[in-house]
Amino acid sequence: VDPAGEAFLQAILPSALLRAAATFPAGTGLGADNFAPRAIARLSATLVALLCKILYACELIGDWPGVLRLVLIVLLPKPDGGRRPIGFFPTVVRLWMRGRSEVARAWEAASPRPSLFGGAGMSATQASWRVTFRAEAAALQGLEHAQSLLDLVKAFEKVPHHLVYRAAVK
């Protein structure tokens, strides 16, 4: 919620939610709610509009109802061996994420951060070259240099899940 008391985001539109639902493959995995994302297209226009109001209320509150907080973790086999954990969110949350992706991309484009390399036009390679350049420049000037690079995509595969759970509860 905007500290000034005004909503900074327009309510999600039914058309955006229906477009988002259509992007899921027909056989997409189901979360704990066992509700296929494409099934929303079978709801009446009134129900889709009401769902949009519920989603907007969740955005304004900044929280999901307890029933939507269950994320199923599935361990998919990786081509090179081992398993990769993925999370299956409830369908309503997945629809919201896709329905708001355009807004998120627009915000990301309007709010670039030179230290974050996860956005458009940024890459791990670019981050490593910048770090290398800064380290070389420091060495040439006789200065000390320290840098930390985090690859959070891979990092979470290395953390034991019971530790993540304990930290989340705490």
Side-chain angles (χ1 to χ4, degrees):
V1 178
D2 182 10
E6 296 180 26
F8 57 90
L9 192 59
Q10 298 298 316
I12 190 166
L13 298 174
S15 58
L17 215 53
L18 291 170
R19 270 195 317 276
T23 65
F24 287 89
T28 192
L30 303 179
D33 55 4
N34 201 29
F35 175 54
R38 295 176 73 102
I40 193 173
R42 294 193 296 261
L43 297 177
S44 70
T46 302
L47 288 177
V48 175
L50 288 172
L51 179 56
C52 287
K53 287 183 179 189
I54 292 169
L55 292 173
Y56 189 56
C58 291
E59 289 176 334
L60 293 177
I61 293 167
D63 200 4
W64 292 108
V67 71
L68 295 179
R69 292 186 187 156
L70 178 62
V71 178
L72 296 180
I73 304 298
V74 178
L75 299 173
L76 298 178
K78 296 191 323 189
D80 59 344
R83 298 192 175 273
R84 178 175 61 94
I86 65 163
F88 274 125
F89 287 86
T91 297
V92 172
V93 176
R94 293 168 73 191
L95 287 168
W96 171 80
M97 287 190 278
R98 291 243 179 127
R100 282 299 196 196
S101 64
E102 292 174 19
V103 173
R105 278 194 217 93
W107 175 85
E108 184 179 55
S111 310
R113 299 289 186 266
S115 59
L116 298 179
F117 289 85
M122 304 294 259
S123 68
T125 303
Q126 189 178 33
S128 63
W129 277 109
R130 286 188 188 185
V131 168
T132 302
F133 177 77
R134 289 183 184 133
E136 289 290 330
L140 287 172
Q141 296 174 24
L143 301 173
E144 300 296 325
H145 177 79
Q147 182 73 34
S148 175
L149 298 175
L150 299 176
D151 182 355
L152 296 180
V153 171
K154 296 291 182 186
F156 288 110
E157 292 183 18
K158 306 291 184 198
V159 178
H161 293 137
H162 72 280
L163 296 178
V164 174
Y165 173 80
R166 189 179 311 149
V169 169
K170 186 176 179 181

